[in-house]
């Protein structure tokens, strides 16, 4: 239930937590989306976006976007803002409507100007609803 409202923020349709993703049987297309702190929970949650329901029309160039996005997240978590921004820009070039890539690109711009504190753990605090 907590992830339903999170979908609105990311512009996604189906989000699951890491523990649910680990229990899935078979091959399910998804991408590691973010580390977030949900309201009412102390520990950060790793969330994944399930992508199997998409078509070529609803998510153009999905493989290219997912690969670029994944590279961007790796750089982002290392605080390598410029390479992360380049990867998220590549994802957006492939699919301009990919809101998660837009959100991360915006974060990279913020952190380039004002780096996070030294103890930064990569966790994003979702804005209040």
């Amino acid at each position: 239930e907590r992830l339903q409202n999170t979908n609105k923020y990311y512009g996604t349709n189906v989000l699951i937590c890491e523990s649910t993703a680990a229990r899935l049987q078979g091959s399910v297309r998804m991408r590691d989306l973010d580390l977030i702190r949900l309201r009412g929970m102390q520990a950060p949650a790793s969330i994944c976006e399930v992508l199997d329901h998409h078509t070529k029309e609803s998510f153009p160039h999905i493989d290219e976007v997912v690969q670029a996005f994944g590279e961007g997240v790796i750089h982002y978590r290392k605080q390598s803002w410029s390479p992360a921004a380049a990867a998220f820009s590549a994802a957006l070039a492939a699919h301009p409507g990919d809101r998660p890539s837009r959100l991360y690109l915006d974060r990279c711009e913020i952190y380039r100007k004002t780096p996070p504190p030294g103890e930064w753990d990569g966790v994003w605090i979702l804005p209040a609803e």
Side-chain angles (χ1 to χ4, degrees), residues 17 25 37 41 53 74-75 78 107 112-114 119 128:
C17 65
Q25 301 292 318
R37 188 157 286 116
M41 297 184 76
H53 64 283
I74 289 168
H75 290 299
K78 292 178 182 176
R107 290 182 201 175
R112 263 199 270 210
K113 292 176 184 155
T114 308
E119 69 278 358

Side-chain angles (χ1 to χ4, degrees), residues 21-98:
R23 290 193 308 264
L24 292 177
Q25 301 292 318
S27 176
V28 177
R29 179 183 279 191
M30 65 181 98
R31 65 174 159 177
D32 177 12
L33 194 64
D34 212 348
L35 291 170
I36 62 171
R37 188 157 286 116
L38 295 166
R39 195 171 16 126
M41 297 184 76
Q42 235 2 47
S46 179
I47 57 172
C48 301
E49 178 185 13
V50 177
L51 300 168
D52 274 353
H53 64 283
H54 281 292
T55 64
K56 289 179 181 178
E57 291 75 32
S58 68
F59 199 130
H61 310 287
I62 193 167
D63 292 332
E64 188 178 336
V65 173
V66 169
Q67 180 177 344
F69 182 86
E71 290 172 18
V73 169
I74 289 168
H75 290 299
Y76 174 85
R77 290 183 181 158
K78 292 178 182 176
Q79 299 184 45
S80 299
W81 311 124
S82 293
F88 295 127
S89 292
L92 285 167
H95 178 39
D98 187 47

